[in-house]
Amino acid sequence: MTDEDVWGTIDGLYAWLDANRAVDGTDGLLLRILKLSEEVGEVAQAVIGATGQNPRKGTTHGWDDVQSELCDVVITALVALRTLTPDTREVFAAHLARVARRSLGGGTAPAT
């Protein structure tokens, strides 16, 4: 999937959710952002399940489940950002560049 495909898919998901939203206005925006908390909770549940930390349930998930849930967090965050601004790509790229400069001291992550 290309960069264009990723952002086109985010726009498509945003449009689909907007066309099928149950709540409009500020409340709808807040609920879309709160969806992130639900997704992060699913990451935690998958990690607990992958490590068998719940003795009553045992090992219920694998690390592939954790990866999938993390991807859901990223998608949900990007759709929430798209809900706030149609300039999602530019806002994200500028913020990522600021974080990279602050953290890596020069711009981009070193190649691995």
Side-chain angles (χ1 to χ4, degrees):
M1 183 175 270
T2 68
D3 189 52
E4 291 298 321
D5 293 335
V6 169
W7 293 109
T9 300
I10 294 301
D11 285 340
L13 290 168
Y14 159 77
W16 174 73
L17 284 170
D18 242 28
N20 294 286
R21 65 179 175 239
V23 179
D24 290 332
T26 303
D27 288 346
L29 170 64
L30 294 175
L31 288 169
R32 191 160 298 168
I33 293 170
L34 283 176
K35 177 74 173 157
L36 275 167
S37 294
E38 177 187 0
E39 296 298 341
V40 169
E42 291 175 9
V43 171
Q45 182 181 21
V47 169
I48 290 167
T51 57
Q53 291 302 301
N54 185 334
R56 184 174 52 82
K57 294 182 180 180
T59 301
T60 59
H61 293 74
W63 290 105
D64 286 346
D65 297 313
V66 176
Q67 290 176 15
S68 179
E69 296 300 343
L70 285 168
C71 288
D72 286 348
V73 169
V74 172
I75 293 165
T76 302
L78 289 175
V79 171
L81 182 59
R82 172 60 184 88
T83 301
L84 289 174
T85 178
D87 299 324
T88 310
R89 180 190 307 209
E90 294 80 10
V91 169
F92 181 74
H95 187 77
L96 182 60
R98 283 191 301 275
V99 170
R101 279 191 304 275
R102 181 179 67 229
S103 301
L104 304 173
T108 60
T112 57

XYZ file of all heavy atoms in Angstrom:
836
model
N 0.853 -1.178 0.000
C 0.000 0.000 0.000
C 0.896 1.238 0.000
O 1.818 1.341 0.793
C -0.911 -0.027 1.224
C -1.894 1.117 1.280
S -3.079 1.024 2.642
C -4.379 0.133 1.871
N 0.617 2.148 -0.889
C 1.420 3.373 -0.991
C 0.947 4.404 0.028
O -0.121 4.280 0.619
C 1.307 3.983 -2.391
O -0.033 4.470 -2.572
C 1.661 2.982 -3.474
N 1.759 5.433 0.167
C 1.403 6.559 1.028
C 0.055 7.153 0.611
O -0.787 7.452 1.446
C 2.517 7.609 0.972
C 2.331 8.703 1.999
O 2.154 8.378 3.187
O 2.371 9.883 1.601
N -0.131 7.293 -0.699
C -1.396 7.830 -1.219
C -2.558 6.926 -0.832
O -3.640 7.410 -0.490
C -1.331 7.991 -2.743
C -0.396 9.085 -3.195
C -0.807 10.467 -2.714
O -2.014 10.766 -2.695
O 0.092 11.248 -2.359
N -2.352 5.608 -0.910
C -3.399 4.664 -0.537
C -3.765 4.793 0.935
O -4.939 4.732 1.301
C -2.967 3.222 -0.812
C -2.797 2.905 -2.282
O -3.427 3.569 -3.127
O -2.018 1.974 -2.593
N -2.753 4.954 1.790
C -3.001 5.089 3.233
C -3.881 6.295 3.500
O -4.914 6.198 4.173
C -1.674 5.197 4.020
C -1.935 5.599 5.474
C -0.900 3.886 3.948
N -3.494 7.441 2.969
C -4.255 8.658 3.247
C -5.616 8.625 2.566
O -6.604 9.117 3.110
C -3.447 9.897 2.877
C -2.267 10.042 3.789
C -0.957 9.854 3.468
C -2.298 10.336 5.183
N -0.171 10.028 4.577
C -0.962 10.324 5.647
C -3.315 10.607 6.091
C -0.625 10.580 6.977
C -2.978 10.868 7.419
C -1.647 10.846 7.840
N -5.713 8.013 1.393
C -7.003 7.850 0.738
C -7.928 6.959 1.545
O -9.139 7.213 1.649
N -7.363 5.915 2.143
C -8.150 5.023 2.987
C -8.619 5.745 4.252
O -9.781 5.593 4.658
C -7.330 3.768 3.349
O -6.973 3.102 2.136
C -8.123 2.827 4.234
N -7.755 6.541 4.859
C -8.157 7.320 6.040
C -9.294 8.259 5.665
O -10.303 8.353 6.386
C -6.952 8.096 6.638
C -5.904 7.128 7.201
C -7.414 9.088 7.716
C -6.395 6.195 8.296
N -9.178 8.946 4.533
C -10.266 9.826 4.078
C -11.551 9.035 3.844
O -12.641 9.494 4.181
C -9.867 10.561 2.796
C -8.886 11.690 3.029
O -8.775 12.179 4.178
O -8.217 12.095 2.057
N -11.420 7.841 3.262
C -12.589 7.005 3.023
C -13.256 6.548 4.301
O -14.497 6.557 4.418
N -12.454 6.146 5.275
C -13.012 5.739 6.567
C -13.690 6.911 7.278
O -14.771 6.758 7.863
C -11.915 5.141 7.458
C -11.391 3.784 7.021
C -10.122 3.431 7.795
C -12.454 2.711 7.184
N -13.061 8.068 7.204
C -13.660 9.280 7.781
C -15.024 9.553 7.145
O -16.010 9.792 7.842
C -12.723 10.472 7.599
C -13.415 11.792 7.683
C -13.791 12.330 8.914
C -13.734 12.502 6.530
C -14.456 13.537 8.993
C -14.390 13.715 6.599
C -14.755 14.225 7.839
O -15.421 15.417 7.902
N -15.077 9.511 5.814
C -16.332 9.797 5.105
C -17.403 8.761 5.449
O -18.568 9.110 5.663
C -16.083 9.834 3.596
N -17.011 7.503 5.509
C -17.953 6.438 5.850
C -18.502 6.620 7.264
O -19.718 6.527 7.483
C -17.261 5.076 5.697
C -18.090 3.927 6.159
C -19.183 3.389 5.532
C -17.899 3.182 7.353
N -19.671 2.343 6.270
C -18.897 2.191 7.399
C -16.961 3.240 8.388
C -19.001 1.272 8.439
C -17.065 2.327 9.425
C -18.074 1.355 9.438
N -17.606 6.902 8.210
C -18.063 7.128 9.591
C -18.952 8.358 9.687
O -19.958 8.353 10.390
C -16.858 7.275 10.530
C -16.141 5.979 10.877
C -14.834 6.281 11.607
C -17.022 5.068 11.700
N -18.571 9.420 8.983
C -19.375 10.639 9.009
C -20.775 10.404 8.440
O -21.751 10.936 8.968
C -18.668 11.753 8.235
C -18.334 12.935 9.105
O -18.144 12.744 10.327
O -18.275 14.053 8.575
N -20.868 9.611 7.396
C -22.165 9.334 6.775
C -23.036 8.428 7.646
O -24.257 8.403 7.484
C -21.952 8.690 5.405
N -22.418 7.713 8.565
C -23.141 6.746 9.390
C -23.089 7.063 10.879
O -23.301 6.182 11.707
C -22.582 5.338 9.136
C -22.866 4.873 7.740
O -23.990 4.533 7.414
N -21.849 4.898 6.887
N -22.813 8.318 11.218
C -22.678 8.676 12.630
C -24.051 8.755 13.294
O -25.035 9.161 12.682
C -21.912 9.969 12.787
C -22.619 11.176 12.218
C -21.816 12.450 12.430
N -22.486 13.533 11.754
C -21.949 14.263 10.810
N -20.707 14.060 10.459
N -22.631 15.212 10.225
N -24.071 8.374 14.545
C -25.305 8.415 15.321
C -25.452 9.741 16.056
O -26.559 10.143 16.405
C -25.325 7.262 16.324
N -24.326 10.420 16.291
C -24.329 11.656 17.061
C -23.573 12.719 16.268
O -22.465 12.467 15.786
C -23.662 11.455 18.445
C -23.646 12.739 19.240
C -24.365 10.344 19.225
N -24.149 13.899 16.135
C -23.527 14.992 15.381
C -22.839 15.988 16.307
O -22.912 15.886 17.526
C -24.596 15.757 14.580
C -25.157 14.936 13.437
O -24.438 14.071 12.922
O -26.317 15.179 13.077
N -22.204 16.962 15.709
C -21.656 18.111 16.424
C -20.509 17.758 17.336
O -19.779 16.784 17.132
N -20.379 18.572 18.364
C -19.277 18.414 19.316
C -19.313 17.059 20.009
O -18.273 16.430 20.202
C -19.319 19.546 20.369
O -19.256 20.800 19.685
C -18.155 19.445 21.333
N -20.510 16.593 20.348
C -20.602 15.287 21.005
C -20.081 14.177 20.099
O -19.379 13.268 20.547
C -22.036 14.990 21.430
C -22.486 15.822 22.614
O -21.631 16.442 23.291
O -23.710 15.855 22.873
N -20.415 14.242 18.813
C -19.915 13.248 17.870
C -18.405 13.285 17.760
O -17.745 12.239 17.690
N -17.844 14.485 17.731
C -16.387 14.644 17.686
C -15.746 14.045 18.934
O -14.773 13.283 18.844
C -16.023 16.126 17.578
C -14.551 16.474 17.746
C -13.713 15.881 16.639
C -14.379 17.977 17.799
N -16.293 14.359 20.091
C -15.738 13.834 21.337
C -15.824 12.309 21.384
O -14.880 11.643 21.816
C -16.458 14.453 22.537
C -16.251 15.955 22.716
C -17.112 16.472 23.868
C -14.791 16.289 22.932
N -16.942 11.760 20.931
C -17.082 10.307 20.924
C -16.082 9.651 19.977
O -15.546 8.587 20.280
C -18.511 9.917 20.545
C -19.546 10.208 21.626
C -20.956 10.050 21.061
C -19.346 9.315 22.833
N -15.826 10.293 18.848
C -14.845 9.737 17.909
C -13.449 9.743 18.542
O -12.677 8.809 18.376
C -14.848 10.521 16.607
C -14.039 9.807 15.551
C -14.337 10.207 14.150
N -15.692 9.925 13.757
C -16.260 10.386 12.644
N -15.548 11.142 11.830
N -17.496 10.105 12.332
N -13.126 10.783 19.266
C -11.820 10.844 19.933
C -11.763 9.848 21.094
O -10.740 9.180 21.292
C -11.516 12.291 20.384
C -11.323 13.178 19.144
C -10.287 12.337 21.279
C -11.256 14.660 19.428
N -12.866 9.704 21.814
C -12.897 8.738 22.919
C -12.748 7.299 22.445
O -12.323 6.432 23.209
C -14.197 8.880 23.716
C -14.261 10.068 24.657
C -15.639 10.152 25.305
C -13.177 9.976 25.725
N -13.078 7.042 21.196
C -12.905 5.704 20.622
C -11.456 5.246 20.769
O -11.182 4.050 20.899
C -13.333 5.724 19.150
C -13.155 4.439 18.409
C -14.179 3.409 18.799
C -14.049 2.193 17.867
N -14.588 1.009 18.455
N -10.537 6.200 20.805
C -9.123 5.857 21.018
C -8.914 5.125 22.342
O -8.137 4.169 22.405
C -8.260 7.119 21.008
C -7.823 7.609 19.656
C -7.267 9.019 19.758
C -6.809 6.668 19.059
N -9.599 5.560 23.384
C -9.462 4.899 24.682
C -9.908 3.450 24.609
O -9.277 2.566 25.204
C -10.280 5.634 25.748
O -9.758 6.906 25.967
N -10.980 3.206 23.896
C -11.454 1.835 23.720
C -10.404 0.989 23.015
O -10.107 -0.138 23.433
C -12.755 1.821 22.923
C -13.269 0.424 22.647
C -14.463 0.401 21.708
O -14.922 1.469 21.256
O -14.915 -0.714 21.406
N -9.828 1.537 21.945
C -8.826 0.794 21.181
C -7.566 0.537 22.005
O -6.983 -0.544 21.936
C -8.491 1.524 19.881
C -9.651 1.631 18.914
C -10.181 0.301 18.413
O -9.470 -0.730 18.496
O -11.326 0.270 17.919
N -7.135 1.514 22.792
C -5.962 1.324 23.655
C -6.252 0.240 24.695
O -5.385 -0.593 25.000
C -5.537 2.658 24.311
C -4.503 2.431 25.404
C -5.002 3.612 23.255
N -7.475 0.218 25.210
C -7.868 -0.843 26.135
C -7.775 -2.222 25.499
O -7.404 -3.203 26.157
N -8.099 -2.306 24.219
C -7.993 -3.584 23.517
C -6.528 -3.999 23.347
O -6.220 -5.193 23.369
C -8.729 -3.515 22.183
C -10.242 -3.433 22.380
C -11.020 -3.245 21.091
O -10.422 -3.347 19.991
O -12.235 -2.991 21.183
N -5.630 -3.025 23.193
C -4.197 -3.344 23.169
C -3.794 -3.948 24.511
O -3.124 -4.988 24.564
C -3.332 -2.102 22.861
C -1.850 -2.409 23.049
C -3.593 -1.587 21.457
N -4.214 -3.301 25.589
C -3.872 -3.798 26.929
C -4.421 -5.209 27.138
O -3.718 -6.089 27.667
C -4.417 -2.846 27.994
N -5.648 -5.434 26.717
C -6.254 -6.758 26.848
C -5.452 -7.801 26.062
O -5.216 -8.906 26.551
C -7.688 -6.710 26.352
C -8.432 -8.024 26.478
C -9.850 -7.926 25.960
O -10.184 -7.046 25.166
N -10.699 -8.828 26.410
N -5.012 -7.440 24.863
C -4.230 -8.367 24.050
C -2.869 -8.659 24.682
O -2.409 -9.809 24.666
C -4.068 -7.827 22.627
N -2.225 -7.634 25.249
C -0.929 -7.851 25.911
C -1.107 -8.766 27.118
O -0.328 -9.708 27.323
C -0.276 -6.510 26.320
C 0.924 -6.733 27.240
C 0.137 -5.721 25.085
N -2.124 -8.502 27.911
C -2.399 -9.358 29.071
C -2.668 -10.788 28.611
O -2.172 -11.753 29.198
C -3.563 -8.778 29.898
C -3.100 -7.499 30.600
C -4.102 -9.804 30.898
C -4.222 -6.676 31.194
N -3.429 -10.917 27.527
C -3.724 -12.243 27.002
C -2.513 -12.928 26.401
O -2.355 -14.150 26.503
N -1.635 -12.169 25.772
C -0.432 -12.743 25.157
C 0.583 -13.194 26.203
O 1.358 -14.120 25.960
C 0.214 -11.741 24.202
N 0.577 -12.519 27.339
C 1.541 -12.870 28.391
C 0.944 -13.791 29.459
O 1.651 -14.193 30.382
C 2.076 -11.592 29.076
O 0.975 -10.841 29.603
C 2.864 -10.737 28.087
N -0.343 -14.094 29.326
C -0.992 -15.001 30.276
C -1.101 -14.430 31.674
O -1.094 -15.171 32.659
N -1.212 -13.119 31.785
C -1.215 -12.470 33.092
C -2.506 -12.652 33.878
O -2.538 -12.378 35.065
C -0.902 -10.975 32.943
C 0.517 -10.710 32.522
C 1.520 -11.306 33.495
O 1.536 -10.980 34.667
N 2.337 -12.227 33.010
N -3.561 -13.103 33.236
C -4.799 -13.378 33.959
C -4.855 -14.880 34.224
O -5.144 -15.670 33.316
C -6.015 -12.934 33.148
C -7.317 -13.095 33.895
O -7.438 -13.924 34.785
N -8.302 -12.309 33.513
N -4.590 -15.291 35.480
C -4.514 -16.731 35.758
C -5.846 -17.451 35.513
O -5.860 -18.646 35.234
C -4.100 -16.804 37.228
C -4.294 -15.452 37.784
C -4.325 -14.482 36.647
N -6.926 -16.750 35.579
C -8.229 -17.365 35.336
C -8.413 -17.692 33.860
O -9.006 -18.704 33.511
C -9.336 -16.426 35.818
C -10.736 -16.977 35.715
C -11.773 -16.048 36.338
N -11.705 -14.676 35.847
C -12.250 -14.244 34.703
N -12.890 -15.069 33.916
N -12.145 -12.983 34.354
N -7.856 -16.847 32.982
C -8.034 -17.032 31.543
C -6.835 -17.676 30.863
O -6.982 -18.294 29.813
C -8.313 -15.681 30.876
C -9.633 -15.065 31.281
C -9.854 -13.764 30.548
C -11.168 -13.117 30.933
N -11.371 -11.848 30.212
N -5.646 -17.498 31.415
C -4.447 -18.034 30.782
C -4.059 -17.229 29.550
O -4.392 -16.051 29.424
N -3.381 -17.874 28.617
C -2.941 -17.216 27.392
C -4.094 -17.238 26.394
O -4.520 -18.305 25.958
C -1.704 -17.921 26.805
O -0.668 -17.892 27.794
C -1.212 -17.221 25.544
N -4.599 -16.056 26.084
C -5.778 -15.936 25.221
C -5.492 -15.222 23.913
O -6.336 -15.207 23.019
C -6.896 -15.169 25.944
O -6.407 -13.868 26.303
C -7.362 -15.911 27.199
N -4.327 -14.602 23.790
C -3.963 -13.834 22.610
C -2.524 -14.152 22.228
O -1.768 -14.691 23.039
C -4.059 -12.320 22.885
C -5.435 -11.813 23.109
N -6.136 -12.044 24.265
C -6.250 -11.079 22.317
C -7.328 -11.468 24.183
N -7.419 -10.879 23.003
N -2.162 -13.770 21.026
C -0.780 -13.862 20.579
C -0.255 -12.472 20.270
O -1.011 -11.490 20.268
N 1.035 -12.388 19.955
C 1.619 -11.078 19.651
C 1.097 -10.516 18.332
O 1.076 -9.311 18.143
C 3.147 -11.152 19.711
C 3.583 -11.332 21.141
C 4.032 -12.474 21.713
C 3.511 -10.354 22.177
N 4.255 -12.264 23.057
C 3.950 -10.966 23.368
C 3.121 -9.026 22.226
C 4.015 -10.301 24.583
C 3.192 -8.346 23.448
C 3.632 -8.982 24.594
N 0.618 -11.384 17.453
C -0.043 -10.889 16.241
C -1.315 -10.123 16.595
O -1.656 -9.138 15.935
C -0.388 -12.043 15.292
C 0.825 -12.611 14.573
O 1.890 -11.957 14.600
O 0.693 -13.696 13.982
N -2.010 -10.573 17.652
C -3.199 -9.848 18.119
C -2.820 -8.464 18.640
O -3.527 -7.483 18.396
C -3.921 -10.627 19.233
C -4.456 -11.965 18.754
O -5.089 -12.002 17.678
O -4.229 -12.964 19.471
N -1.698 -8.380 19.345
C -1.221 -7.088 19.860
C -0.902 -6.159 18.681
O -1.289 -4.986 18.681
C 0.001 -7.265 20.782
C 0.549 -5.912 21.229
C -0.358 -8.130 21.991
N -0.211 -6.682 17.682
C 0.091 -5.879 16.500
C -1.183 -5.360 15.841
O -1.273 -4.174 15.481
C 0.870 -6.706 15.479
C 2.278 -7.026 15.887
C 2.967 -7.925 14.876
O 2.506 -8.101 13.755
N 4.084 -8.508 15.282
N -2.157 -6.222 15.703
C -3.425 -5.834 15.080
C -4.120 -4.739 15.869
O -4.631 -3.757 15.301
C -4.330 -7.066 14.959
O -5.567 -6.731 14.393
N -4.127 -4.887 17.183
C -4.775 -3.873 18.039
C -4.019 -2.547 17.982
O -4.637 -1.476 17.992
C -4.906 -4.380 19.475
C -5.803 -5.593 19.646
C -7.241 -5.383 19.212
O -7.691 -4.221 19.058
O -7.941 -6.388 19.010
N -2.696 -2.602 17.917
C -1.919 -1.365 17.774
C -2.239 -0.676 16.451
O -2.361 0.555 16.397
C -0.420 -1.651 17.879
C 0.092 -1.923 19.293
C 1.517 -2.473 19.243
C 0.010 -0.681 20.151
N -2.401 -1.464 15.400
C -2.793 -0.876 14.110
C -4.161 -0.209 14.220
O -4.372 0.879 13.658
C -2.813 -1.944 13.026
S -1.166 -2.491 12.530
N -5.088 -0.831 14.954
C -6.404 -0.219 15.155
C -6.286 1.126 15.876
O -7.016 2.069 15.558
C -7.335 -1.151 15.944
C -7.848 -2.317 15.121
O -7.682 -2.305 13.876
O -8.413 -3.251 15.728
N -5.356 1.225 16.826
C -5.133 2.492 17.528
C -4.660 3.561 16.546
O -5.158 4.694 16.542
C -4.118 2.324 18.687
C -3.683 3.673 19.241
C -4.717 1.464 19.794
N -3.698 3.201 15.698
C -3.160 4.158 14.721
C -4.252 4.608 13.759
O -4.409 5.809 13.506
C -1.960 3.538 13.959
C -1.529 4.429 12.814
C -0.805 3.271 14.915
N -5.019 3.674 13.237
C -6.101 4.014 12.307
C -7.119 4.912 12.978
O -7.539 5.935 12.416
C -6.770 2.733 11.766
C -5.797 1.958 10.888
C -8.055 3.066 11.009
C -6.222 0.523 10.614
N -7.524 4.553 14.185
C -8.515 5.345 14.918
C -7.995 6.746 15.185
O -8.731 7.729 15.052
C -8.898 4.632 16.229
O -9.411 3.333 15.904
C -9.951 5.405 17.004
N -6.715 6.867 15.540
C -6.125 8.186 15.786
C -6.095 9.021 14.522
O -6.421 10.219 14.542
C -4.720 8.039 16.366
N -5.724 8.413 13.401
C -5.670 9.174 12.154
C -7.062 9.589 11.687
O -7.238 10.701 11.172
C -4.940 8.377 11.073
C -3.432 8.231 11.292
C -2.831 7.309 10.231
C -2.739 9.582 11.310
N -8.048 8.737 11.882
C -9.423 9.120 11.527
C -9.909 10.239 12.455
O -10.564 11.178 12.006
C -10.367 7.905 11.549
C -11.820 8.329 11.412
C -10.001 6.924 10.430
N -9.568 10.169 13.733
C -9.937 11.248 14.659
C -9.265 12.550 14.248
O -9.894 13.616 14.264
C -9.561 10.869 16.094
N -8.001 12.476 13.873
C -7.296 13.667 13.399
C -7.953 14.205 12.136
O -8.141 15.418 11.990
C -5.814 13.347 13.155
C -4.925 14.509 12.711
C -4.923 15.635 13.739
C -3.511 13.999 12.453
N -8.343 13.329 11.233
C -9.023 13.739 10.002
C -10.359 14.412 10.325
O -10.796 15.327 9.636
C -9.245 12.526 9.084
C -10.099 12.787 7.856
C -9.474 13.863 6.977
N -10.323 14.197 5.856
C -11.294 15.120 5.871
N -11.557 15.793 6.975
N -12.001 15.362 4.795
N -11.000 13.984 11.394
C -12.252 14.601 11.830
C -12.019 16.047 12.253
O -12.873 16.906 12.038
C -12.873 13.794 12.995
O -13.097 12.444 12.538
C -14.187 14.378 13.455
N -10.843 16.315 12.815
C -10.513 17.674 13.258
C -10.061 18.574 12.117
O -10.268 19.782 12.166
C -9.418 17.625 14.325
C -9.824 17.089 15.677
C -8.603 16.955 16.575
C -10.877 17.973 16.319
N -9.409 17.984 11.100
C -8.862 18.812 10.022
C -8.781 18.035 8.719
O -8.357 16.867 8.725
C -7.457 19.344 10.370
O -6.963 20.100 9.258
C -6.488 18.244 10.718
N -9.138 18.653 7.605
C -8.934 17.988 6.315
C -7.450 17.948 5.925
O -7.072 17.229 5.010
C -9.737 18.847 5.336
C -9.840 20.183 5.987
C -9.837 19.925 7.473
N -6.608 18.687 6.618
C -5.165 18.733 6.355
C -4.420 17.694 7.194
O -3.295 17.936 7.653
C -4.620 20.130 6.644
C -5.265 21.192 5.778
O -5.561 20.891 4.603
O -5.491 22.306 6.281
N -5.028 16.537 7.360
C -4.484 15.496 8.233
C -3.048 15.141 7.898
O -2.192 15.085 8.776
C -5.350 14.228 8.127
O -6.711 14.598 8.293
C -4.973 13.219 9.185
N -2.785 14.912 6.623
C -1.450 14.494 6.201
C -0.410 15.542 6.579
O 0.646 15.215 7.126
C -1.431 14.264 4.689
C -0.086 13.818 4.179
C 0.002 13.832 2.684
N -1.073 13.089 2.056
C -0.957 12.483 0.889
N 0.150 12.549 0.218
N -1.978 11.828 0.384
N -0.697 16.802 6.292
C 0.255 17.872 6.573
C 0.446 18.073 8.080
O 1.574 18.264 8.540
C -0.208 19.174 5.922
C -0.215 19.140 4.411
C -1.439 18.451 3.792
O -2.415 18.139 4.530
O -1.417 18.210 2.575
N -0.653 18.030 8.818
C -0.577 18.198 10.280
C 0.261 17.071 10.883
O 1.148 17.304 11.704
C -1.985 18.252 10.900
C -1.931 18.163 12.419
C -2.711 19.520 10.457
N -0.006 15.841 10.451
C 0.737 14.699 10.980
C 2.215 14.773 10.594
O 3.086 14.563 11.440
C 0.113 13.385 10.506
C 0.826 12.180 11.046
C 0.688 11.814 12.371
C 1.658 11.431 10.231
C 1.355 10.712 12.886
C 2.334 10.333 10.728
C 2.177 9.968 12.054
N 2.492 15.069 9.326
C 3.882 15.138 8.866
C 4.656 16.212 9.619
O 5.808 15.990 10.020
C 3.933 15.390 7.363
N 4.047 17.372 9.820
C 4.724 18.456 10.542
C 4.980 18.059 11.991
O 6.069 18.314 12.534
C 3.896 19.733 10.472
N 4.016 17.410 12.611
C 4.199 17.004 14.005
C 5.271 15.916 14.120
O 6.126 15.971 15.011
C 2.874 16.510 14.609
C 2.978 16.246 16.063
N 2.971 17.255 17.000
C 3.137 15.092 16.738
C 3.108 16.724 18.199
N 3.218 15.413 18.072
N 5.228 14.947 13.209
C 6.242 13.895 13.212
C 7.641 14.480 13.022
O 8.590 14.076 13.699
C 5.937 12.863 12.115
C 6.872 11.674 12.026
C 6.893 10.871 13.318
C 6.466 10.790 10.846
N 7.772 15.466 12.145
C 9.071 16.124 11.937
C 9.541 16.816 13.209
O 10.725 16.750 13.559
C 8.978 17.114 10.778
N 8.610 17.497 13.927
C 8.986 18.151 15.190
C 9.450 17.124 16.220
O 10.457 17.326 16.910
C 7.813 18.964 15.743
C 7.586 20.284 15.040
C 6.605 21.177 15.784
N 5.290 20.580 15.965
C 4.286 20.614 15.079
N 4.464 21.222 13.909
N 3.135 20.060 15.346
N 8.736 16.015 16.329
C 9.116 14.969 17.280
C 10.476 14.383 16.895
O 11.330 14.165 17.754
C 8.034 13.872 17.357
C 8.524 12.668 18.147
C 6.756 14.432 17.976
N 10.690 14.162 15.601
C 11.972 13.619 15.148
C 13.113 14.572 15.452
O 14.173 14.144 15.932
C 11.908 13.318 13.643
N 12.912 15.863 15.187
C 13.968 16.842 15.496
C 14.265 16.860 16.989
O 15.424 16.867 17.405
C 13.557 18.240 15.034
C 13.777 18.493 13.562
C 13.625 19.953 13.194
N 12.343 20.517 13.585
C 11.219 20.437 12.866
N 11.212 19.799 11.719
N 10.107 21.000 13.286
N 13.218 16.855 17.794
C 13.389 16.903 19.242
C 14.056 15.635 19.768
O 14.936 15.673 20.625
C 12.023 17.101 19.899
C 12.062 17.199 21.412
C 10.677 17.415 21.994
N 9.842 16.242 21.797
C 8.611 16.268 21.300
N 8.046 17.392 20.935
N 7.919 15.148 21.151
N 13.641 14.489 19.244
C 14.104 13.210 19.770
C 15.374 12.704 19.117
O 16.210 12.087 19.782
C 13.004 12.160 19.614
O 11.846 12.567 20.313
N 15.493 12.922 17.825
C 16.624 12.361 17.086
C 17.675 13.404 16.736
O 18.733 13.064 16.225
C 16.132 11.687 15.793
C 15.075 10.609 15.991
C 14.546 10.125 14.652
C 15.643 9.461 16.812
N 17.336 14.657 16.976
C 18.282 15.727 16.782
C 18.584 16.087 15.345
O 19.529 16.810 15.087
N 17.811 15.595 14.411
C 18.162 15.966 13.055
C 17.072 15.738 12.032
O 17.155 16.256 10.944
N 16.095 14.988 12.334
C 15.053 14.826 11.327
C 14.414 13.474 11.296
O 13.355 13.280 11.817
N 15.103 12.503 10.725
C 14.468 11.210 10.547
C 15.196 10.149 11.334
O 16.348 10.316 11.731
C 14.454 10.815 9.057
O 15.790 10.745 8.595
C 13.671 11.815 8.230
N 14.519 9.047 11.509
C 15.112 7.927 12.228
C 16.206 7.296 11.396
O 16.122 7.274 10.169
C 14.028 6.895 12.568
N 17.236 6.788 12.039
C 18.285 6.098 11.283
C 17.712 4.820 10.653
O 16.795 4.222 11.182
C 19.329 5.769 12.343
C 18.665 5.914 13.654
C 17.492 6.822 13.457
N 18.247 4.454 9.500
C 17.810 3.228 8.839
C 18.190 2.035 9.686
O 19.239 2.006 10.329
C 18.447 3.136 7.455
N 17.317 1.032 9.664
C 17.604 -0.189 10.441
C 17.933 -1.337 9.534
O 17.669 -1.343 8.385
C 16.408 -0.579 11.334
O 15.255 -0.739 10.522
C 16.173 0.462 12.398
